[in-house]
Structures are given as C-alpha cells and as structure tokens.
Amino acid sequence: MYNAARYTKSVRTPTLKSMDINKDLMAASSTPIVLAILAEEDSYGYAILQRVRELSGGRMEWTDGMLYPVLHRLERLGHVDARWQVAESGRKRKYYQITSQGRAQLAEEREQWQAVDATLKGIWKAIRASLPTLNPAFAPALAMAA
Amino acid sequence: MPTPNQVVSLDNQIEQWRSYLSRRQAIHTVDIAELEDHLREQVATLVGAGLSTDEAFLVAVNRLGNLDALSREFAREHSDRLWKQLVVVPSDSVAQLARGRMDAIVAFCLAVAAAVLVKLPALFGLDLEDDAHFYARNASFFVLPLLTGYFVWKRGLDQSKVRWLAVAFAAAAVVINAYPFTEDGPTLVLAAIHLPIALWLVVGIAYAGNRWGQVAGRMDFIRFSGELFIYYVLIALGGGLLMGFMAAIFQAINIDVEPVFEQWLIAGVVGAVIVAAWLVEAKQSVIENMAPVLTRLFTPLFAILLLGFLATLLVTGRGIDIERNALIAFDGLLLVVLGLLLYSISARDPQSPRGPFDVVQVVLVVSALLANAFALWAIAERINEFGFTPNRTAALGMNVILIVNLAWSAVLYIRFLRGRAQFAPLEKWQTNYLPVYAGWAALVVIVFPPLFRFI
C-alpha cells in the first residue's frame, strides 16, 4: 500500500545556517528572482531552483513544488512563455522563456527592490552601533553591504 | 549507479506518487508531468551524491513540499479548475480527440436531420395546425429513430439487433397511422401520449448496446434518461430566452417574427433532443449528475408534504373529493415519487451503509402509497357511476403499475433497512420493471383503440 502520510508530512530540511527567510519576503521576492534567472537564459523548474540555491549560497530554501504555481502565474500574466521540449535526458520538459513584457516587469521590480535596498542600507549604517550581536552567518554579508 | 531492479522500483514509486497526485483536482496531468520531470532530476542528483534510490525518492518528494499546501497553491493560481468544466472534445490523446470530434459531427448532423425531417411533411401540404392529428400520431418518428441511430452507430450494434429495432419502429408507424381514429378522440390522444413511452424502450435498448441484459446497463439508461430530461429543460429555457429577445428586438423595428417562430420552433424542439443526448454522453464522466442532486433536495420535501397531507386527512376526517381528473393527479404524484426513488437509487453506492436518507426514502414511498390508497378507495366507490372511459382505464392501469412497483420497492427497501437484505435486489427490481412501462404503453397504443371502438 502507498502510504500517503509518508509524503505529505512536511519535513523541514534544516539549512546549514539555520536562517529562515520570512514567508512574505520569500513570496515577494520570487517574481523578480525567477524573472531575473530567466533573463539570463531559458530554463526549467529544477534548474531555476538550483540557480536560486547557488545565488543565495543556500540561504534561500524554497519548497520545490511551490515554484511551479509561481511559474504558471507568470505565464498567465504574459511575463514568460512556456514550451514543452524533449530534454537531453529523453524526457519531455517544460521550458520557460522571458517575454519582452516580462523584461519590462523585471526592470520595474528591480527599481523597487533597489529603492528598498537603499533605504535599508541607509538605516543599517545609522544604527550599526546599537545592533545586538549578530548571527555570525550574517556577518560576511553585512560587512560586504557596509 | 542504480541497478535495473532499483530503476523498476523507482518507476513504480513514481507511478504511485503520480496516481496519488492526480486525485488532486487543482493539479492537472500536464502539471504532474512537469513535477515528475523535476522529481526524476532531483532523484538522479541525489543518487549521484551517494543516496540509495529509495532514500533519494523520499527526499525528493519531501522537498516538493506538503501536498495539501501544494495543491492549495495550484488551486489559488488555477481557481477555475475547482469548477469542473465540460470539455466536449477531450484532448488527452489523438485517438480520443478524433473520436470526440466525430461524435460531435454525427450528433450535429442527426440534429439537423431531425429538424429537416419534421419540416418535410410541410412540403406535402401537411400543416402543423390543420393536420395536428398527423403530427400527434407521428411525433415520435421525427426524433426517436434518429436518436436510436446515433446510439446504434456509437455502440456499434450488431446487424441482427438493428433489424429488430427497425421492425419495432416500422410496426409502431403502421399501427398508429392505419388505425381509423376519430379525430381528436380520446383514444388518439392516449395513443399519441403512450407511443413515445413505448418507443423510449427501443432507444434504451440501443443506448445500452450489448448491456441491456445487465442491471448496470439498464441503470445507465435510467441515468441517461434523467440527465437528458434536465439538459433538455435547460436547453428549452435557453431557447425561450433566445426567442424572447428575438421577438423583442425585431419588434423594435416593427417586424413581427411570430410566424417564423411558428414555422421553425418545432425544428428546434426535435433537434434539441439529439443535442441534449449528445451533451449527456459527452459530459457523463466530467460533471456530476444533476438528477440525483435534485432528488436529494426534493425527497425530504415531498416526504413532509405527504405526511402533512395524510395527517390533515386523518385529523379533519375529510374524504377525498373525487372529480374526474383526481386519478390523473394521483398518478402524477406516484410518478414523481417513483422518479425520486429511482434517481436516488441510481446514485446510491450499493455498498454504502444505511443512513437517515434511506429512512426518508421509505417514509416517502409508504406515505405516497397510503395517500394513493385513500384516493383509490374513494374512486372505487364511484367507478360504476363514472364508467370505464378510455382515459379513466388508462389512468387506472397506470396507477396499478405504479402501485405494484412502489409497494414491492417499499418491501425491498424495508428489508434492506432492517439488515435482512442487500441493496442490490432493489436496483434489480427497478431495472427489471422498465419493460413493464413500455409494455403497458404499447398496450394502450395497440389494444385500447379497437377496445373502445376508436372513439
């Protein structure tokens, strides 16, 4: 018998640095991240996730399945096009490609994120002295930011 | 490297996972294919990193995330999927696509043929109004043979069976047209009403294909008939709306389109039967059956109505005031109760345990029988006074047929409720009874007119 519970039970893969990026932030950043990765080159679900891991140094752990509804939403909105193609593995694979509308959307998102980023950078600098001891994992990133 | 054994077991596991996923309404086959590609690639990577196939599979599935959450996300993105859509032409495979398209074309052609057929007599000067008796006699033949033909084609019936079906139609046509009926007389009206009922059995035999001999085949025909009725009513409502708008907008430019309606309405009336039949076939497994839903809704209401009626009857001590049409009204009541019973049986899983709805069903049937018994008793006292006219005899005969069906159904249902029997005998009894209705209808068509001297 197939034991459904085995697979539906949510098992958190503990990330090395035990840092959880908050859910809302994950959701908000998923669109620009996916669009930006597709702006590099056409890609498919698994490879996009790999690229996210690589870029974030493993700090952004998406639940794999959740990427697909995001891709489908972008497809519906016309930001990406999808096509089925036989991959080198011999399996059919769904590839996504960014559209010109998607690029425009990406440019817009980029501006917004840069504005948020600049604001935060400003404030981090101002309050650096009063911050409590940081999680060591943050240190290199923050040092770079500063 | 995975050994061949491991590959087989991985394929099995993925197959199971896929079938588990496909039960989620919001996740479609294409999405599963996409997720499977992901899963396989993840497994391959993990195996490459030294995990066994089993471990890799488990990890990969876990990483995909909680299925409930996942299917919720899919549902949020594809909210339309929670509403089952009627895909008239399924696109799962090329063969299916071709079959669905062929089906639609044949049905459409037959609907047009029915419309042409019903207009054909007009070419020979038979007017719908002046020669109403001709149309009354032959109403069945404009659509039922075509509907039968549709199922003969669809089910690929044997030649020998087709021959018998054709003989039945031909014999019916000869009888109804050769009898010297009095114009507008009651025997003609009765024959005109009962002929389609008798011939509906012929349609059923074609519909069931080679499964007429089985309970399940006949039950499918009952389901089909109920859905067809509902679809037909819906199409008729839409048609009424269309005509209303047409009349209104042409009225605005001072053109009276009513004569056009009178000419062409009938073509729509017959064509819609075949379109409705095709729709029922196409949507069969896609959309929930409506008839059982309506039954669920109305069975308790009718049960309350009948109990209220019986209680009032007993408390006030009133006798049933029997006028000429009382019997027909009670026939109608029994017919509705039979319909409610039939369609709740048609949707019931014979294996499911007894529930409160079953009790309501029995209460409904028993109270209908009691109410009918009161009516019959009142009629029996005055039957000599009224005399046996064709109408009254037909109504009485139908009443008896319905009583026999419902009474035995009640017995079987009560046995089932008390745990003495299974549900299957009830289903069998109802499906076995189908030829009785057709037989009685045939009797009214064939024997009544000579019996009552064609009045």
Side-chain angles (χ1 to χ4, degrees), chain A residues 2 4 7-9 11 44 46 49 53 63-66 68-69 72-73 76 84 91 93-94 96, chain B residues 16 20 31 34-35 37-38 40-42 45 57-58 61 63-66 70 73-74 77-78:
Chain A
Y2 182 82
Y7 306 125
T8 51
K9 198 177 62 188
V11 178
Y44 59 97
Y46 184 77
L49 285 166
R53 265 187 209 120
T63 313
D64 290 5
M66 297 302 181
Y68 292 94
H72 295 175
R73 181 169 53 82
R76 175 169 55 81
W84 283 89
R91 286 196 301 273
R93 176 168 291 164
K94 198 174 178 186
Y96 294 87
Chain B
Q16 282 182 324
Y20 183 67
D31 305 328
E34 194 178 17
L35 290 172
D37 176 52
H38 178 106
R40 282 185 186 273
E41 187 143 355
Q42 179 80 76
T45 313
F57 177 74
L58 276 180
V61 167
R63 281 206 181 166
L64 270 182
N66 178 313
L70 188 60
E73 279 305 307
F74 269 95
E77 171 51 28
H78 307 275

Side-chain angles (χ1 to χ4, degrees), chain A residues 2-141:
Chain A
Y2 182 82
N3 181 4
R6 251 165 75 200
Y7 306 125
T8 51
K9 198 177 62 188
S10 149
V11 178
R12 269 217 159 273
T13 31
T15 52
L16 277 176
K17 300 175 176 104
S18 73
M19 179 179 72
D20 275 331
I21 291 181
N22 132 0
K23 227 174 133 192
D24 291 336
L25 200 49
M26 289 272 234
S29 60
S30 63
T31 302
I33 292 177
V34 171
L35 283 178
I37 291 173
L38 289 175
E40 290 178 332
E41 58 174 341
D42 296 0
S43 189
Y44 59 97
Y46 184 77
I48 292 173
L49 285 166
Q50 290 299 97
R51 187 84 181 104
V52 171
R53 265 187 209 120
E54 201 181 301
L55 286 167
S56 71
R59 277 172 297 161
M60 283 195 79
E61 278 286 348
W62 288 357
T63 313
D64 290 5
M66 297 302 181
L67 172 68
Y68 292 94
V70 172
L71 284 169
H72 295 175
R73 181 169 53 82
L74 294 176
E75 188 184 351
R76 175 169 55 81
L77 294 175
H79 295 336
V80 303
D81 274 338
R83 63 177 190 280
W84 283 89
Q85 202 171 300
V86 179
E88 66 273 28
S89 62
R91 286 196 301 273
K92 277 208 322 186
R93 176 168 291 164
K94 198 174 178 186
Y95 285 91
Y96 294 87
Q97 179 181 25
I98 192 164
T99 62
S100 53
Q101 192 195 323
R103 284 182 197 279
Q105 176 69 25
L106 179 60
E108 199 177 300
E109 296 248 356
R110 185 175 173 173
E111 267 176 43
Q112 292 177 12
W113 279 95
Q114 276 169 344
V116 172
D117 191 32
T119 313
L120 285 173
K121 265 184 196 159
I123 199 87
W124 295 150
K125 228 179 262 174
I127 61 169
R128 173 129 44 122
S130 57
L131 270 185
T133 333
L134 282 171
N135 182 333
F138 278 101

Side-chain angles (χ1 to χ4, degrees), chain B residues 260-274:
Chain B
V260 181
F261 283 168
E262 276 164 17
Q263 288 296 310
W264 290 101
L265 178 61
I266 189 165
V269 167
V270 294
V273 175
I274 294 179

Side-chain angles (χ1 to χ4, degrees), chain B residues 16 77 93 137 187 213 264 296 325 327 336 378 405 423-424 426:
Chain B
Q16 282 182 324
E77 171 51 28
S93 74
R137 286 177 200 221
T187 49
W264 290 101
R296 283 261 154 175
N325 292 328
L327 199 52
V336 168
N405 179 316
F423 194 77
L426 188 54

